[in-house]
Each structure stands twice: as structure tokens, then as C-alpha cells.
Amino acid sequence: MPLVYYLWPALLTVLIALPLLVFSWYFYDIAFWENWLPGEAGKYEEFCERNRMDRLIREPSNTFSNLAYVWLGFQVLAFAIWDFRQKINKNRLQQWPLLSVVFALSLILLGGGSFFYHASLSAIAQRWDMTGVYSIMAFLLAYPVFHFFPNRKNFLLGIVTTLLLADLLLYIYKWSLNGLIVLPAFIVVVVLFIALDQILRKPKRNMKWIFSALFFLVAAFVLWYLDREKILCNPDSLFQGHALWHCLTGWSSFSIYMFYRSESGR
């Protein structure tokens, strides 16, 4: 794939980041969110980074680190555009670029939602944030499950519809779900179905991507725990464990996508 397809996602992310940085710096001392219903992190300091409740951006590092998801979303979208133009049928993701578009939008949804949440620490933003997380997990689960359906072409519309409906339901019932239980359960089921798909179908894929996904996921959870429990913590530092969690989980999700994409043969 030409270099330009790797450059424009990064450039577009920078063009989004710069105005946000300037705007947040210029209006940094405006307590814009003071009348919004707070989420969990707004009621107490859930993460290590200090809650600046009188500022426009209440958790700067945890906020802007979410642009990593946005960048990766644009990169997946670049792959989808390339696939649309080249009409390559090497694997299902390349054969049906709409699947890549759905995953790209899920990453961008997560990045935007988590940016909103850590900037405002509001309840409505927390709902959006977790919907984005579940949206990513739903796609990573749906893709290997998809291969077990014999009539795969007709299932394309079904898988996209199911993902959109799942996102809507997860948004509506967010407060009925315990993220500390649902998210690990999602991850376990995703790993299980990836393993089943690999064992039963024996597709030829680049295994370095799955090892990358697992390594960065474990590293992300370690940093998340150390940050949440205030073990490795400097509240006023620009370097925050939860901010690194955003970057590492984004790369882990992208690695699973690349693992799927590396399949040779349909």
C-alpha cells in the first residue's frame, strides 16, 4: 500500500489535535462542566491524574491520549479506502471493506467518547466512552464468529446490523453493566473464538500480530491497575498510566485487526 495511505491518517489526527490543544490552552480556566452530572471519575479521583474540576480539560493527559484511538481509526479507514479501490479478495476484510469501515468508526467513536469523558468527567460522556469500548470488543468477537456461518456473503449485512444494534443496546443499558466484569468477559470470549477459528479453519495468518496484541494488552492492564490503585502515581505529571492504557489498548485492538487482515485466502 502506498506511503500516502499511512501519512494522511497521521496528518489528519495532527490537524484535529492542534486546534483542540490551542482551544483548551486558551480557555483552560473555564469551569464549563460544573453543572453537568458527574460520572464515577468526577465524583472521586478514580485515576491517578489530578481532577481539575475548575478547568475546561479536567484530566489533560488522560484526555488527549485518546487521539491514539482516532489515529488508528483513520488508519483502518485508509485500509478500507485502499481495498475499495483495489478490489483485492485476499481475505474477508479486503473482500468486504465495509467491515473495516465499521471497525474504523468504532475506534473513532471510542477515541471521541473517551476524550469527552476525561475532559468533562461527566456521566453522559462515561456512557459514550464505555459504548465505544464495547463496540470495539463486539467487532473483534463478531469477525471470527462470522467465519462459522456457511452463507457468509448474505451474513455481511447481518453482521453490520448486529454490531450497530449491539452498540445501541450497550449504550442504553450501560449503567446495568459492571465494566470490571463485562470487559474481561468480552476479552476472554474474543480470545476463545480467535483460538477456535484458528484451530478449526487453520487460516494462514501472521502470528506476530496476535503476540503483539496480547503483549500490549497485558502491559495495558498492568499500567491500568498501577494507575487506578495509585501505586505508580504522580497526579501532576504529564505521564499517566491511564493515558498509556489508551495508547496500548488501541494498539492491541489494531493488532488483532491486522492479524485478521494478514490472512491469505478466503
Side-chain angles (χ1 to χ4, degrees), residues 122-141:
S122 64
I124 184 66
Q126 184 178 2
R127 183 190 291 267
W128 185 2
D129 176 22
M130 289 309 300
T131 301
V133 172
Y134 296 142
S135 176
I136 296 291
M137 299 310 300
F139 178 89
L140 297 178
L141 173 60

Side-chain angles (χ1 to χ4, degrees), residues 124-192:
I124 184 66
Q126 184 178 2
R127 183 190 291 267
W128 185 2
D129 176 22
M130 289 309 300
T131 301
V133 172
Y134 296 142
S135 176
I136 296 291
M137 299 310 300
F139 178 89
L140 297 178
L141 173 60
Y143 188 77
V145 170
F146 158 81
H147 284 291
F148 290 96
F149 285 76
N151 194 347
R152 294 170 186 168
K153 187 172 183 179
N154 292 337
F155 190 66
L156 175 62
L157 180 59
I159 192 175
V160 173
T161 304
T162 299
L163 287 172
L164 294 175
L165 181 60
D167 290 346
L168 177 61
L169 292 174
L170 289 166
Y171 178 84
I172 293 173
Y173 294 104
K174 189 275 172 210
W175 301 119
S176 302
L177 303 173
N178 186 334
L180 295 178
I181 296 175
V182 176
L183 182 56
F186 245 133
I187 292 172
V188 169
V189 175
V190 168
V191 172
L192 175 62

Side-chain angles (χ1 to χ4, degrees), residues 170-216:
L170 289 166
Y171 178 84
I172 293 173
Y173 294 104
K174 189 275 172 210
W175 301 119
S176 302
L177 303 173
N178 186 334
L180 295 178
I181 296 175
V182 176
L183 182 56
F186 245 133
I187 292 172
V188 169
V189 175
V190 168
V191 172
L192 175 62
F193 271 94
I194 289 176
L196 284 174
D197 182 42
Q198 202 69 24
I199 292 169
L200 297 178
R201 291 199 312 116
K202 297 181 174 59
K204 294 180 180 179
R205 292 169 173 161
N206 191 334
M207 296 302 294
K208 75 175 184 181
W209 286 113
I210 202 65
F211 293 135
S212 170
L214 292 173
F215 175 81
F216 285 105

Side-chain angles (χ1 to χ4, degrees), residues 3-256:
L3 182 61
V4 66
Y5 284 88
Y6 295 96
L7 291 179
W8 75 253
L11 179 59
L12 187 55
T13 305
V14 170
L15 292 176
I16 291 173
L18 287 178
L20 288 173
L21 284 167
V22 172
F23 184 84
S24 63
W25 172 79
Y26 191 79
F27 296 103
Y28 81 99
D29 58 349
I30 294 178
F32 182 80
W33 315 104
E34 61 182 351
N35 294 321
W36 290 52
L37 181 67
E40 292 177 9
K43 298 173 183 176
Y44 62 95
E45 292 193 340
E46 182 181 11
F47 310 108
C48 172
E49 188 170 17
R50 191 178 306 283
N51 290 2
R52 298 163 176 84
M53 303 304 287
D54 59 340
R55 301 289 176 84
L56 177 64
I57 304 294
R58 289 176 163 177
E59 290 183 347
S61 292
N62 290 347
T63 297
F64 281 94
S65 57
N66 286 289
L67 292 173
Y69 293 123
V70 176
W71 163 56
L72 292 170
F74 287 148
Q75 185 58 67
V76 174
L77 191 60
F79 286 136
I81 293 172
W82 171 256
D83 293 341
F84 271 121
R85 291 178 174 176
Q86 298 300 311
K87 301 186 185 304
I88 298 173
N89 293 328
K90 183 180 177 182
N91 54 57
R92 296 294 175 181
L93 282 175
Q94 292 176 323
Q95 182 184 6
W96 295 324
L98 180 60
L99 293 174
S100 293
V101 172
V102 171
F103 185 60
L105 294 178
S106 295
L107 282 167
I108 295 169
L109 169 68
L110 173 55
S114 191
F115 187 103
F116 181 22
Y117 177 43
H118 289 285
S120 67
L121 298 180
S122 64
I124 184 66
Q126 184 178 2
R127 183 190 291 267
W128 185 2
D129 176 22
M130 289 309 300
T131 301
V133 172
Y134 296 142
S135 176
I136 296 291
M137 299 310 300
F139 178 89
L140 297 178
L141 173 60
Y143 188 77
V145 170
F146 158 81
H147 284 291
F148 290 96
F149 285 76
N151 194 347
R152 294 170 186 168
K153 187 172 183 179
N154 292 337
F155 190 66
L156 175 62
L157 180 59
I159 192 175
V160 173
T161 304
T162 299
L163 287 172
L164 294 175
L165 181 60
D167 290 346
L168 177 61
L169 292 174
L170 289 166
Y171 178 84
I172 293 173
Y173 294 104
K174 189 275 172 210
W175 301 119
S176 302
L177 303 173
N178 186 334
L180 295 178
I181 296 175
V182 176
L183 182 56
F186 245 133
I187 292 172
V188 169
V189 175
V190 168
V191 172
L192 175 62
F193 271 94
I194 289 176
L196 284 174
D197 182 42
Q198 202 69 24
I199 292 169
L200 297 178
R201 291 199 312 116
K202 297 181 174 59
K204 294 180 180 179
R205 292 169 173 161
N206 191 334
M207 296 302 294
K208 75 175 184 181
W209 286 113
I210 202 65
F211 293 135
S212 170
L214 292 173
F215 175 81
F216 285 105
L217 182 63
V218 171
F221 267 105
V222 169
L223 288 170
W224 175 86
Y225 177 79
L226 295 174
D227 180 272
R228 185 183 176 90
E229 298 301 318
K230 315 297 191 295
I231 297 172
L232 185 63
C233 178
N234 181 348
D236 298 308
S237 173
L238 287 175
F239 299 96
Q240 296 293 329
H242 195 75
L244 290 173
W245 153 270
H246 293 152
C247 299
L248 296 181
T249 53
W251 187 257
S252 179
S253 301
F254 179 75
S255 294
I256 298 178

